[in-house]
Amino acid sequence: MQSIELKTRQENLRSLLDEMQELSQSRSNYALRHFVVGQHDLPGRQRQQVIVELQGMMFELANQADELRLAELDIEELQAGLESKTGIDAERIKIKIGQKERQIEQINIRLTGQLRECDTLYAMLQELPKYTKEQFEAEEPAYWGVRLPRQFALSQRDVGGNLTAILEMFTEPGKEKPSVALSLDNLVALMGLSEESIKQLTGGK
């Protein structure tokens, strides 16, 4: 009875393979654009985020390709050994072949989503200005100068973080995030720092 029910469940689930393949991308193109890349305030950090994502994908896709090839080689080896086996031994090998075939199916479903993410991020990279290390570092003071006041301002109004996510929805790669009505100078004043401390922070200005 259990084996019949198990087979029924497997058949039901396998009928969803096409839909599994279609919706296998864990992060939608919209989420990649606005909540992965759009989390950053300025283009330099946005481009760096895309590069970091693509770097991880480069190695992960290579590993997946290796896993696929190893599974294919295992199947070839098992099938070669099957010719000389009969009875229970042959049945065991057939089961192992089936396991390897399902492993390949699983990898292919996962790869479908990963390749879509890769293509989306790579296309997004073309929208972003290219930065040298020097240009990236030169933009960092401005980046933190807008990010920290924004985080402070939004945290005062929304502990749950939904306002931050809403702002990210309006952030486009290659463009500055919409600004909030609070500057780093305002924040320094709110902290009540002495004039001497402010001079030290600003390099004596």
Side-chain angles (χ1 to χ4, degrees):
M1 184 64 178
Q2 289 288 350
S3 62
I4 294 175
E5 290 185 1
L6 181 60
K7 186 175 181 180
T8 300
R9 302 300 192 284
Q10 288 176 313
E11 289 173 353
N12 289 343
L13 293 175
R14 289 196 69 81
S15 70
L16 299 173
L17 271 174
D18 287 344
E19 190 171 359
M20 291 174 183
Q21 193 96 357
E22 184 70 19
L23 300 177
S24 65
Q25 185 176 336
S26 60
R27 300 179 296 180
S28 70
N29 294 345
Y30 185 88
L32 288 170
R33 187 173 190 85
H34 294 286
F35 303 129
V36 175
V37 178
Q39 68 179 297
H40 296 295
D41 296 77
L42 297 179
R45 281 275 176 166
Q46 293 169 0
R47 186 175 181 94
Q48 184 199 45
Q49 183 68 46
V50 174
I51 291 294
V52 168
E53 295 284 337
L54 290 175
Q55 175 185 314
M57 286 182 176
M58 178 176 66
F59 292 106
E60 178 59 23
L61 291 176
N63 289 338
Q64 294 298 318
D66 287 345
E67 289 299 319
L68 272 177
R69 186 56 187 142
L70 286 172
E72 290 168 349
L73 290 173
D74 287 342
I75 289 174
E76 291 176 16
E77 186 177 1
L78 288 165
Q79 286 175 334
L82 184 60
E83 298 174 1
S84 61
K85 302 293 182 181
T86 58
I88 292 178
D89 289 338
E91 188 64 24
R92 287 183 186 278
I93 292 176
K94 289 177 184 177
I95 290 172
K96 289 180 180 179
I97 290 173
Q99 288 175 330
K100 291 296 178 181
E101 289 172 341
R102 288 194 299 275
Q103 181 185 349
I104 289 174
E105 280 185 323
Q106 187 177 35
I107 291 172
N108 280 328
I109 290 174
R110 186 165 60 245
L111 270 176
T112 298
Q114 290 174 333
L115 290 172
R116 286 180 186 144
E117 285 195 14
C118 181
D119 290 345
T120 297
L121 287 164
Y122 191 81
M124 211 180 301
L125 192 66
Q126 314 313 309
E127 301 176 40
L128 294 161
K130 193 168 184 178
Y131 278 69
T132 64
K133 173 65 173 171
E134 292 73 21
Q135 290 170 326
F136 177 82
E137 291 294 343
E139 191 178 86
E140 279 289 271
Y143 173 78
W144 292 105
V146 294
R147 174 173 174 163
L148 296 177
R150 168 182 58 79
Q151 288 178 324
F152 174 80
L154 296 183
S155 69
Q156 301 305 299
R157 302 174 189 177
D158 180 23
V159 177
N162 286 332
L163 288 180
T164 295
I166 290 170
L167 193 59
E168 289 172 355
M169 290 172 65
F170 293 100
T171 305
E172 291 292 338
K175 298 180 181 178
E176 294 185 16
K177 186 184 297 295
S179 60
V180 296
L182 184 66
S183 69
L184 192 57
D185 289 339
N186 297 143
L187 265 183
V188 169
L190 283 174
M191 292 169 67
L193 294 176
S194 67
E195 289 186 15
E196 185 61 33
S197 297
I198 294 174
K199 286 181 180 179
Q200 290 176 358
L201 286 171
T202 59
K205 297 178 182 179

